[in-house]
Amino acid sequence: MKCSYQIGILFICCFFSCAPAQKESPDAAEDAPKIVFVTGDEEYRSEESMPMLAAILERELGAETVVGYSLDSSGVIDPNNVYHISKLDELADADLLVLFTRFRQLPAEMAAKITDYAESGRPLVGFRTSTHAFRYTEEEDSALMHLNDEWPTRVFGQQWITHHGHFEDGHGRLTEVTLVDDQADNPILNGVEPFEAYSWLYHVDGGDWQLAGDSEPLLMGHSLRSNHEEAGRLDEFPLDNPVAWTKTYTGASGQPARVFFTTLGHPFDFKEESMRKLALNGIYWALGREGDIPAGGVKADFATPYAPNNSGFGELYKPGVRPASR
């Protein structure tokens, strides 16, 4: 009798241990954020780095991710097409916008989908050239020219000013990145170690310029080679500048939105685990998920192969790639 009882218990244990894992509860599925990545820069291969981050977030956060690209008329990714970005309709119900664009001249109705999102009070994350996300120069676009400088300053904390120079792009580290001492306990910096970036340092603070609003620097960059130093202009453009910060933006909704921004973003920067952790942690924080950031930072192992082309203008991006193939 005792033997039969033990066999029965063993059968029950085996049944439950071998049973398929239960699917996520409806509540868990509802908690999965929708993150829309808007790419479109002809220099830094955002069409490669942002899908890489999206894949990690799908794995680690269970996020629904959408990536919009600059496309040509046949649907092929063309970062040089400054007049188009796909998937902008997806921003209507997005929980987070991640922007990495440069000098776009989008039609007014496309630009409005981005700016309407910003005014909604939902969080934003921006990379590098989003300090100059738009560039309108034609008289017929005069109503959009506030997007050139005023808009990124209000939303992200700064506009395009200058940088310390790019020397042999992608063939050497040009910025030493360190943590701001009094921000060491900030969850965005969990697992982030000092590193040297391929990104040449952007000037955003110092001289006649300062970060706007309640911007709070998290990381500082020190230029390892500077054309401003060579020209004797360090009183205007010092060798040390913030490279990552948080702020809030209150738009038409009246609801303060969390904003995370970094001026880093060279395609080779993302080969650094600390850079990926910075980006992922910043996204978690923007979503209000800082409590879910592990002490060592979000797991940043690649979820898909990442072998980006180097930075640079012209035809240096991967040709003939369609979004569906990523």
Side-chain angles (χ1 to χ4, degrees):
M1 186 73 177
K2 183 177 179 181
C3 180
S4 299
Y5 174 80
Q6 290 174 331
I7 291 172
I9 293 294
L10 181 62
F11 173 79
I12 292 171
C13 291
C14 287
F15 175 82
F16 281 104
S17 64
C18 296
Q22 291 185 337
K23 292 183 178 179
E24 282 189 319
S25 67
D27 287 344
E30 289 175 4
D31 285 343
K34 178 179 178 179
I35 304 174
V36 177
F37 291 80
V38 176
T39 74
D41 89 278
E42 68 276 44
E43 186 175 11
Y44 294 110
R45 314 284 86 85
S46 61
E47 75 277 3
E48 297 198 63
S49 59
M50 295 299 100
M52 175 272 294
L53 290 178
I56 296 174
L57 288 162
E58 289 176 1
R59 181 191 69 201
E60 296 301 314
L61 191 56
E64 174 190 353
T65 66
V66 177
V67 184
Y69 301 93
S70 296
L71 303 177
D72 68 15
S73 58
S74 66
V76 169
I77 296 172
D78 179 6
N80 292 322
N81 181 8
V82 300
Y83 306 105
H84 174 268
I85 296 177
S86 66
K87 302 292 186 180
L88 293 179
D89 287 341
E90 297 283 354
L91 289 170
D93 62 348
D95 296 300
L96 176 66
L97 163 60
V98 180
L99 188 67
F100 196 158
T101 62
R102 179 186 187 278
F103 285 164
R104 300 294 100 174
Q105 299 178 52
L106 300 178
E109 62 274 15
M110 282 191 177
K113 295 182 193 308
I114 296 172
T115 58
D116 286 352
Y117 176 94
E119 297 303 306
S120 72
R122 289 171 287 170
L124 301 102
V125 168
F127 286 91
R128 197 154 174 82
T129 51
S130 295
T131 59
H132 41 297
F134 301 101
R135 180 60 67 200
Y136 293 99
T137 59
E138 303 300 326
E139 185 176 348
E140 61 266 27
D141 292 328
S142 59
L144 298 171
M145 288 182 182
H146 69 283
L147 299 179
N148 293 353
D149 298 326
E150 177 190 340
W151 185 81
T153 299
R154 286 191 292 108
V155 174
F156 291 125
Q158 195 50 278
Q159 65 177 66
W160 164 245
I161 303 167
T162 185
H163 56 62
H164 283 266
H166 43 98
F167 306 91
E168 300 181 3
D169 297 1
H171 298 289
R173 317 287 181 123
L174 293 174
T175 300
E176 182 181 40
V177 177
T178 56
L179 283 61
V180 172
D181 289 341
D182 62 4
Q183 292 291 329
D185 294 331
N186 190 306
I188 295 176
L189 299 181
N190 286 3
V192 176
E193 301 291 339
F195 65 99
E196 291 184 352
Y198 288 88
S199 293
W200 39 97
L201 184 66
Y202 275 17
H203 181 79
V204 296
D205 195 78
D208 293 333
W209 301 88
Q210 62 181 11
L211 286 173
D214 59 353
S215 297
E216 190 71 44
L218 305 177
L219 293 176
M220 291 295 292
H222 175 79
S223 181
L224 298 174
R225 184 175 176 184
S226 169
N227 54 18
H228 291 299
E229 182 177 30
E230 293 168 2
R233 294 191 294 263
L234 293 185
D235 55 335
E236 298 178 76
F237 308 116
L239 291 175
D240 298 287
N241 248 247
V243 294
W245 59 86
T246 57
K247 70 181 295 289
T248 57
Y249 174 66
T250 303
S253 71
Q255 176 68 36
R258 286 187 171 192
V259 178
F260 169 74
F261 196 89
T262 177
T263 58
L264 303 174
H266 187 285
F268 294 172
D269 288 348
F270 291 100
K271 294 181 178 182
E272 291 282 345
E273 184 178 37
S274 282
M275 177 64 193
R276 299 195 302 278
K277 285 183 180 287
L278 173 70
L280 295 166
N281 294 350
I283 287 170
Y284 272 57
W285 175 86
L287 286 165
R289 301 287 188 99
E290 61 266 37
D292 295 329
I293 301 175
V298 176
K299 183 180 178 184
D301 297 352
F302 292 114
T304 52
Y306 183 64
N309 282 15
N310 196 2
S311 63
F313 297 106
E315 305 298 322
L316 297 184
Y317 62 93
K318 290 182 171 67
V321 178
R322 295 179 181 274
S325 68
R326 288 189 178 275

